[in-house]
Amino acid sequence: MKAMVLTQTADIHTGPLNLQEVTDPVPGPGELRLRVRCCAICRTDLHVIEGDLPEAKRPIIPGHQIIGIVDALGEGCRQFQIGQRVGVAWLRQTCGQCRFCLSGRENLCAAQQFTGYHADGGYAEQTVVPEAFAYEIPETFDDQSATPLLCAGIIGYRALSRSRLPTGGRLAIFGFGSSAHVVIQIARHRGCEVYVVTRGAGHRRLAREMGAVWVGEDANAMPVKVDSAILFAPVGDLVLPALAVLDRGGTLAVAGIHLSDIPALDYERFLFYERDLRSVTANTREDGRGLLAEAAEIPIRPHITTYALAEANRALQDLKDDRINGTGVLVMPT
Ligand SMILES: [Zn+2]
Ligand SMILES: [Zn+2]
């Protein structure tokens, strides 16, 4: 099969992914093999490629927002059939036995493995996934529209719950990329007002089109205090302005898997009055199923920019340089 393979950590602008012919993957016990239809790109792929995350597997085929058709079943598979469409997300495996796994917090399992990081992902014509971690995809979504839900959507959904946004409340979003453009649709569906702080003019335009009540570059200009805020931009310097827009008792959730250093903070000014600063770490399968069900009910309509598999370097360069509105999706040749 053809795949975009990373052999060495490098800046995305050096074009580190190479199109290669590699051996077709073989599904192990309990695993499905998929013919990949498309795979969305994610900022986490950049963190894997550029070494912001500790190196796990080399060479690696990145990609963890995959839509594919089951074309082979490993021993013991019972849940899915050949020909069925399924989705693959970032969370690939947990131990199932630790105190976190047993208490509905498998996102905190110390033995967890991730797609496109510990195991090869979806920048390829085929991939394998443990069937217990594959998702059924609601029919409402065509293949390309479903891909952003599998990470941008799931992480956004968990970030939203970590931000404790009350129904009908006010939410501030910092950074308006792939995840944020899904979250705004969920928040509005829940009757909330959304305020967006983002640098890119294209991102501000999209946020306005999607119904943000206020959009700006500078959080100091925000006209009201909010109940909840989510920081999507991987920029620690934004933590203070994001805390500053919270009302008393408000909550800030930091959604990214990687964040630059947070500056020293003045307790009285930024945290006192029971404002909370919370992180978001991966997701549980329950988050995934919850997001897919709510996304189908709304229904979420992602903005998509498509690229060929061989253009993965360019797609990720566009993501890094803020040239993508919504989500970039690699589409396999048919
Ligand atoms: Zn565990
Ligand atoms: Zn992701």
Side-chain angles (χ1 to χ4, degrees), residues 124 160 327:
L160 203 50
T327 307

Side-chain angles (χ1 to χ4, degrees), residues 34-116:
L34 313 182
R35 191 159 38 76
V36 176
R37 285 261 182 89
C38 46
C39 179
I41 61 169
C42 172
R43 190 168 292 279
T44 300
D45 300 336
L46 275 177
H47 295 321
V48 169
I49 292 163
E50 298 194 321
D52 298 317
L53 297 178
E55 199 170 301
K57 176 183 183 290
R58 294 287 184 272
I60 180 78
I61 300 169
H64 58 270
Q65 305 189 82
I66 308 163
I67 294 292
I69 305 297
V70 178
D71 83 341
L73 300 175
E75 196 190 318
C77 283
R78 283 190 308 267
Q79 216 184 319
F80 293 98
Q81 272 116 48
I82 288 179
Q84 202 173 341
R85 181 174 76 152
V86 300
V88 182
W90 174 240
L91 185 70
R92 178 179 197 82
Q93 188 95 69
T94 54
C95 80
Q97 289 160 10
C98 70
R99 65 197 179 90
F100 298 108
C101 284
L102 293 175
S103 60
R105 295 178 293 164
E106 64 183 0
N107 61 312
L108 302 180
C109 174
Q112 59 192 187
Q113 303 241 310
F114 299 109
T115 311

Side-chain angles (χ1 to χ4, degrees), residues 160 163-166 169-173 226-230 245-247 250-253:
L160 203 50
S163 79
R164 299 193 185 103
L165 178 64
R170 289 180 178 143
L171 172 70
I173 292 177
V226 297
D227 303 294
S228 301
I230 302 175
V245 300
L246 291 179
D247 205 346
T251 302
L252 167 63

Side-chain angles (χ1 to χ4, degrees), residues 247-332:
D247 205 346
R248 294 180 176 203
T251 302
L252 167 63
V254 176
I257 191 169
H258 168 78
L259 191 71
S260 55
D261 288 349
I262 302 173
L265 61 81
D266 175 330
Y267 177 73
E268 163 81 22
R269 193 167 152 215
F270 294 108
L271 275 182
F272 195 59
Y273 300 114
E274 301 199 340
R275 283 167 292 178
D276 284 337
L277 170 59
R278 308 176 97 193
S279 68
V280 179
T281 300
N283 64 279
T284 64
R285 281 170 283 177
E286 200 180 311
D287 293 323
R289 289 187 287 261
L291 176 271
L292 287 167
E294 191 167 345
E297 186 190 304
I298 294 174
I300 298 277
R301 291 290 172 234
H303 281 233
I304 301 289
T305 305
T306 60
Y307 300 83
L309 174 62
E311 297 175 310
N313 287 304
R314 186 169 69 82
L316 288 162
Q317 289 160 7
D318 287 350
L319 173 63
K320 188 173 184 183
D321 299 340
D322 278 339
R323 285 191 294 266
I324 297 179
N325 248 347
T327 307
V329 180
L330 307 180
V331 179
M332 302 309 140

Side-chain angles (χ1 to χ4, degrees), residues 105-250:
R105 295 178 293 164
E106 64 183 0
N107 61 312
L108 302 180
C109 174
Q112 59 192 187
Q113 303 241 310
F114 299 109
T115 311
Y117 184 41
H118 298 109
D120 287 333
Y123 290 13
E125 291 176 324
Q126 295 176 32
T127 195
V128 295
V129 61
E131 78 163 350
F133 287 79
Y135 293 92
E136 267 183 62
I137 302 298
E139 296 209 345
T140 329
F141 300 106
D142 63 37
D143 296 339
Q144 294 174 17
S145 304
T147 55
L149 301 174
L150 290 159
C151 179
I154 293 174
I155 292 300
Y157 182 82
R158 186 165 184 93
L160 203 50
S161 103
R162 295 281 292 164
S163 79
R164 299 193 185 103
L165 178 64
T167 305
R170 289 180 178 143
L171 172 70
I173 292 177
F174 288 74
F176 201 76
S178 181
S179 205
H181 100 289
V182 175
V183 163
I184 190 174
Q185 297 182 57
I186 301 174
R188 293 198 63 230
H189 186 71
R190 293 180 184 176
C192 299
E193 283 183 353
V194 180
Y195 298 74
V196 174
V197 181
T198 189
R199 277 184 323 188
H203 291 179
R204 288 201 298 277
R205 204 175 316 121
L206 183 62
R208 266 184 225 107
E209 277 169 30
M210 299 189 100
V213 295
W214 180 90
V215 180
E217 264 185 289
D218 180 5
N220 291 318
M222 203 181 288
V224 295
K225 296 284 187 197
V226 297
D227 303 294
S228 301
I230 302 175
L231 175 57
F232 285 110
V235 182
D237 284 334
L238 290 174
V239 168
L240 302 193
L243 285 169
V245 300
L246 291 179
D247 205 346
R248 294 180 176 203

